[in-house]
Amino acid sequence: MSFSLCFLLAFITLHVSSCDAWVMPAGGKSTATRHTASTSSHLGMAVGNKHGENACFLPLEQLDQDYYAPRIVQIAGAYPGLTRQEYEAVTSEEAPEPGQWTYDFSDPDGPQMGTVALPGSNVVAMCQDPVVIIAEHDFLGVPLPSAITEPVDLIVLVDRAAKSFAERRFLVLEIRGEISIAAFEAKADVPEGASILGQVVLVQIPWLSCMKPTKSGFMEADEYF
């Protein structure tokens, strides 16, 4: 007997209420830790333009306080034939806070850092070879309210199939073995020897409790992006 399953996703989630950057610690535990090593190595490496510089703008999407992220849920099995052991073996976690998202670390031994669910849209669907990078907002130059003093994680969706230069489009580059995200006004501005690894197609910003509501009912009063 064959069974058609719509989704095959494991669910081990990590909440991002603190919005700190994270790395996957040894042993595969889904615990958030500060991304200090990689961050410090880039402090003196300014490449290209950040968001808002020289008419270069990231494709930002600000989540609002009423946004509910897609929830990744484990599949226990197929019915008929499902056993109680299989049914009770899967785990579940709480849903993310409104305006935020969760990460999935179901395969700590795999090449990926983890998984995150993105809302369905034309932009997401058109990506030929999508991959997500978690980036701190200040390294991309994305402005956030002054009440936020700690780095905030942003979801950066990259299409690895788009390896060509585009004016003022944010690119993922490899420069002397380091990954950089930047935009350039002209191809001549790209550092010599840099390899274009993809283009940024979407940057998702969480809604945090210190932010003002993003939907007031009046367009002239709505804030952010």
Side-chain angles (χ1 to χ4, degrees):
M1 181 180 296
S2 61
F3 301 93
S4 175
L5 298 177
C6 297
F7 301 98
L8 189 56
L9 296 170
F11 184 73
I12 301 177
T13 185
L14 174 67
H15 290 281
V16 292
S17 56
S18 64
C19 279
D20 286 338
W22 51 267
V23 293
M24 193 65 185
K29 296 180 180 179
S30 55
T31 304
T33 57
R34 294 294 302 150
H35 201 330
T36 53
S38 176
T39 298
S40 61
S41 67
H42 287 77
L43 289 177
M45 186 178 178
V47 177
N49 297 293
K50 293 183 178 181
H51 175 74
E53 296 178 348
N54 296 314
C56 299
F57 299 96
L58 283 161
L60 302 177
E61 179 187 55
Q62 169 71 60
L63 302 184
D64 60 57
Q65 68 273 17
D66 298 323
Y67 169 80
Y68 289 91
R71 191 171 182 181
I72 308 172
V73 181
Q74 272 194 349
I75 296 174
Y79 173 86
L82 181 67
T83 67
R84 178 173 177 174
Q85 182 179 8
E86 293 170 337
Y87 173 77
E88 295 181 344
V90 297
T91 60
S92 66
E93 301 291 341
E94 295 180 4
E97 295 291 329
Q100 300 182 24
W101 55 76
T102 57
Y103 301 126
D104 168 35
F105 295 108
S106 58
D107 186 14
D109 297 323
Q112 77 282 357
M113 182 72 70
T115 303
V116 62
L118 295 176
S121 68
N122 181 62
V123 171
V124 176
M126 292 298 290
C127 279
Q128 297 181 44
D129 188 13
V131 67
V132 162
I133 297 173
I134 305 300
E136 296 177 5
H137 77 283
D138 49 352
F139 273 87
L140 297 178
V142 176
L144 292 180
S146 58
I148 298 175
T149 58
E150 296 294 324
V152 173
D153 283 348
L154 308 182
I155 289 179
V156 181
L157 178 63
V158 179
D159 189 352
R160 294 184 296 189
K163 299 182 186 295
S164 59
F165 175 82
E167 182 180 297
R168 293 187 171 87
R169 288 289 299 271
F170 277 80
L171 311 173
V172 176
L173 306 151
E174 182 187 25
I175 306 172
R176 297 185 296 276
E178 296 284 345
I179 295 294
S180 295
I181 300 175
F184 303 89
E185 299 172 73
K187 191 172 184 179
D189 298 330
V190 177
E192 185 177 355
S195 298
I196 299 175
L197 305 181
Q199 293 183 7
V200 175
V201 297
L202 178 68
V203 177
Q204 198 172 77
I205 304 170
W207 185 85
L208 304 175
S209 58
C210 61
M211 294 178 171
K212 295 180 180 179
T214 53
K215 289 184 177 179
S216 65
F218 299 93
M219 183 178 297
E220 62 273 14
D222 289 344
E223 297 198 16
Y224 311 124
F225 309 99

